[in-house]
Amino acid sequence: MSATPQHPQKNRTSRRVLAATAGLVTVGALVAAMPAGAHDRGKGHGHGHQSRTVDVQLLSFNDLHGNLEPPAGSAGTVSETQADGTVTSVPAGGVEYLATSLRTARKGNPYSVTAAGGDMVGASPLLSGLFHDEPTIEALNGLDLDVTAVGNHEFDEGATELARLQNGGCHPVEGCYEKGKKFKGADFPYLAANVTSEKTGKPILKPYTVWKKNGVKIGFIGVTLEGTPNIVTANGVKGLKFHDEIETVNKYAKELDRQGVKSIVALIHEGGAPASASYNYDCDSPGAGDGISGPIVDIAKGITPKVDALVTGHTHQAYVCTVPDPSGKPRMVTSASSFGKLYTDTTLTYDRRTNDIVRTSVESANHIVSRDQAKATDMTKLIARWNTLAAPIANRPQGWITADINGRGSTAPEKPLGNLIADAQLEGLAPADKGGAVVAFMNPGGIRADLVYAASGSEGDGVVTYGEAFTVQPFTNMMNVVDLTGAQLVAALQQQVSGSNEASPKILQVSKGLTYTLDLTKSGADRVVADTIRLNGEAIDPAKTYRVAMNEFLAGGGDGFAALGEGTNKLVGASDLDLFNAYLAAHSTADAPLAPPATDRITVVQ
């Protein structure tokens, strides 16, 4: 792989000062060549007379998901509330602009550290996903990322592949992608304090690291959500154990404190839901943290006061809130949306006498990564280089559409693109020799983008390329067809809105022929009105056996759908992406493009 791209920053080796930490037993090769490093910007600053306090700039972002190019459609916009109360959509994102934003923000800040909240890779567009996210790691090196937590998507391809992303080396199956170039890996540490090996009981990666500059020391602890095994395929988390976020952070905060590190930031891949989708919403109104809900609130309230700020992620939301710590003191909790559309700029005032952060003076704000600024030329070159390698596959036409077909960008329970995907799966797996499926389910989280009518390159408007289809379904999950009883099928639909999904429903996308009423005025499983469930006009018979198609993630009971994991007589079919592309080819031509499907399968009562 290529060397780190050249850019206007100083030579990296002179700036790497993240301290190596406790000796740890790791999974496989994870311990090898674990980098240490951070930016020592403004060399010489602080010599001579030093004031008691120094402002440390913490730049952060989360959930990049390999989006090197600006995300297309609604996935590439940020909602902004104007002074008159109206809300506008601002195009944002793309690493060419993120690099410029971060480099501009760092100017005049000799004490600046850049951290991330996980899901830097995984569920990535083809430009990165086709190459097992090596392009994204290379871009993050060029962005001067200092440290990141692991997210659940860092485990999509398992711990061994995560080790390769950290330590370098060409892909074990596909080899090196560029002749004479070996992949160097991340020159920033991935932190996984709450992920341990089942065999050794030890963290598989460093639990924390310490950033140092002219006597200033800030510890970073990184964790992912404890529920990662519920949202990643079984192979991705095989041999691993995931622990409670609060207990883990508190454990390592105590350890850092004993080492004399009093300033601590927790990088947590778990998040919340602000009351407004606007990035500039004040979630401290009317009181501190009143405008945010979700798992991160309880986590923040349980994490020791030794931790001075929380950088979070996972929910793809934008917020800058102060949630009180267990002692009642305000503490900053931030998240910068997703896909590189925002970055957070937090000022941590460091007291040299106490070695701690002066919490009352912490300031933070999210900023749009706008596309009306100059592009970073090194990122432009990086994208062009990888696009050249991807082009023969990425630019192949797969089908034609008449308009945008919204998936990720749709907030409705039933999404047009979800219907299209489920129909493609049913059609591909309905033949007797392909599984005999009578209905198909698609998990909403597996739909990673919209199908956008506007051309992404030179293919022309309305053309769906392989690269665009891959961006919608990047996991390439194998499809399964299983036997489920009618009772299990009904139970699965009820699990959309009950159990682990009650607080944040996960509404399955269903193939044509399945209809039911979703009554959101009720609670729990009762939200799915059981006697309205019909398949091709007939009520579901609890005792009857149905052949049901779904991807391997759902068939393993993922996303809280235990009933789907009870299927028997499993037949493994083609991948979800292959079925999607086959459906596009079969149902659209340049002269007769495919229109967005109607969303009339789930009747929603609000």
Side-chain angles (χ1 to χ4, degrees):
M1 279 297 299
S2 65
T4 303
Q6 295 301 305
H7 52 76
Q9 303 286 318
K10 299 187 193 76
N11 181 281
R12 297 182 69 77
T13 55
S14 69
R15 294 182 282 109
R16 289 289 166 190
V17 290
L18 271 175
T21 53
L24 300 161
V25 178
T26 61
V27 171
L30 284 169
V31 76
M34 194 65 71
H39 306 136
D40 188 5
R41 298 185 185 87
K43 197 170 182 180
H45 179 89
H47 292 291
H49 176 72
Q50 292 182 331
S51 61
R52 175 169 172 172
T53 62
V54 59
D55 283 346
V56 177
Q57 178 189 56
L58 171 62
L59 300 176
S60 57
F61 57 97
N62 51 276
D63 296 277
L64 181 64
H65 290 289
N67 279 265
L68 303 182
E69 296 176 297
S74 56
T77 62
V78 170
S79 295
E80 181 178 51
T81 300
Q82 307 301 307
D84 62 0
T86 59
V87 178
T88 58
S89 291
V90 182
V95 295
E96 295 161 296
Y97 304 109
L98 179 59
T100 298
S101 290
L102 294 176
R103 290 166 188 172
T104 301
R106 289 170 187 146
K107 290 177 181 175
N109 290 283
Y111 292 80
S112 184
V113 58
T114 303
D119 276 6
M120 295 296 97
V121 300
S124 304
L126 183 132
L127 176 61
S128 187
L130 187 63
F131 306 105
H132 295 275
D133 282 312
E134 290 181 19
T136 296
I137 297 298
E138 183 182 335
L140 293 170
N141 289 343
L143 288 176
D144 295 329
L145 181 63
D146 285 309
V147 59
T148 183
V150 293
N152 53 287
H153 281 282
E154 266 79 18
F155 295 94
D156 284 346
E157 296 187 49
T160 302
E161 174 62 5
L162 174 56
R164 189 183 73 88
L165 292 180
Q166 175 73 87
N167 300 320
C170 296
H171 192 269
V173 176
E174 298 178 23
C176 299
Y177 295 112
E178 295 178 292
K179 190 174 181 179
K181 292 181 179 179
K182 181 183 176 183
F183 175 54
K184 293 192 171 183
D187 63 7
F188 52 88
Y190 264 110
L191 304 181
N194 68 328
V195 187
T196 59
S197 162
E198 288 181 348
K199 287 183 178 178
T200 67
K202 302 288 187 180
I204 65 164
L205 288 167
K206 286 208 265 184
Y208 61 82
T209 194
V210 181
W211 179 84
K212 294 180 179 180
K213 172 78 182 288
N214 295 337
V216 173
K217 294 186 295 185
I218 298 179
F220 288 88
I221 303 168
V223 297
T224 188
L225 70 156
E226 184 182 7
T228 291
N230 299 324
I231 53 176
V232 174
T233 58
N235 282 340
V237 294
K238 191 175 181 180
L240 305 178
K241 191 169 182 182
F242 292 76
H243 302 270
D244 181 81
E245 303 95 334
I246 298 172
E247 291 176 6
T248 303
V249 171
N250 289 352
K251 170 186 173 181
Y252 287 109
K254 188 180 293 184
E255 190 169 313
L256 283 166
D257 185 65
R258 284 198 300 265
Q259 295 174 15
V261 179
K262 307 294 184 182
S263 299
I264 302 171
V265 175
L267 309 175
I268 303 176
H269 192 71
E270 178 61 290
S276 166
S278 292
Y279 88 95
N280 54 342
Y281 163 69
D282 180 8
C283 66
D284 283 338
S285 177
D290 284 347
I292 188 171
S293 60
I296 198 61
V297 177
D298 288 337
I299 290 172
K301 288 178 178 177
I303 285 179
T304 173
K306 294 180 191 298
V307 174
D308 298 293
L310 278 61
V311 172
T312 73
H314 187 55
T315 58
H316 291 203
Q317 302 298 307
Y319 48 84
V320 175
C321 309
T322 50
V323 178
D325 69 16
S327 70
K329 289 174 62 181
R331 178 167 57 192
M332 201 63 74
V333 179
T334 70
S335 174
S337 184
S338 63
F339 301 168
K341 294 181 289 189
L342 297 176
Y343 72 92
T344 313
D345 190 336
T346 302
T347 300
L348 302 173
T349 301
Y350 184 91
D351 187 327
R352 291 182 181 277
R353 194 171 301 173
T354 64
N355 297 324
D356 208 347
I357 300 301
V358 183
R359 195 86 71 77
T360 54
S361 67
V362 173
E363 296 179 355
S364 187
N366 275 326
H367 301 277
I368 296 178
V369 177
S370 68
R371 299 182 196 167
D372 58 4
Q373 60 185 319
K375 295 180 180 181
T377 56
D378 58 320
M379 293 296 153
T380 302
K381 290 175 182 175
L382 182 152
I383 289 169
R385 209 180 82 241
W386 287 102
N387 263 331
T388 299
L389 290 173
I393 296 173
N395 297 337
R396 278 200 319 252
Q398 301 297 310
W400 291 261
I401 56 175
T402 63
D404 288 359
I405 304 180
N406 286 336
R408 194 74 181 183
S410 169
T411 57
E414 182 183 355
K415 308 172 193 304
L417 189 50
N419 287 356
L420 179 61
I421 291 169
D423 287 351
Q425 294 175 352
L426 176 60
E427 182 170 294
L429 300 171
D433 63 337
K434 302 294 185 186
V438 297
V439 65
F441 292 137
M442 174 63 191
N443 56 308
I447 306 169
R448 304 306 299 186
D450 303 333
L451 271 189
V452 179
Y453 177 79
S456 60
S458 60
E459 76 276 11
D461 290 346
V463 179
V464 179
T465 65
Y466 184 88
E468 290 165 340
F470 184 98
T471 297
V472 168
Q473 292 205 276
F475 298 109
T476 319
N477 278 317
M478 301 310 292
M479 292 300 300
N480 291 180
V481 184
V482 300
D483 283 350
L484 288 174
T485 65
Q488 289 169 324
L489 200 153
V490 171
L493 292 174
Q494 291 174 330
Q495 285 166 357
Q496 299 176 112
V497 289
S498 62
S500 61
N501 293 329
E502 181 163 4
S504 182
K506 291 185 175 71
I507 306 303
L508 294 165
Q509 306 300 286
V510 300
S511 56
K512 60 186 175 184
L514 185 73
T515 57
Y516 68 94
T517 296
L518 182 66
D519 188 345
L520 298 179
T521 66
K522 297 180 179 179
S523 61
D526 290 339
R527 292 172 180 170
V528 172
V529 184
D531 60 10
T532 66
I533 303 172
R534 298 281 187 278
L535 182 59
N536 300 320
E538 294 185 4
I540 298 295
D541 181 347
K544 185 178 175 181
T545 296
Y546 297 85
R547 292 292 283 167
V548 183
M550 66 195 89
N551 60 42
E552 58 189 331
F553 170 67
L554 282 177
D559 267 354
F561 291 101
L564 296 181
E566 296 169 359
T568 58
N569 296 328
K570 180 171 73 174
L571 183 144
V572 178
S575 75
D576 51 9
L577 180 60
D578 285 346
L579 293 182
F580 185 50
N581 283 330
Y583 189 88
L584 290 171
H587 292 272
S588 68
T589 65
D591 295 327
L594 188 67
T599 50
D600 55 4
R601 301 169 190 182
I602 305 173
T603 300
V604 180
V605 178
Q606 303 268 18

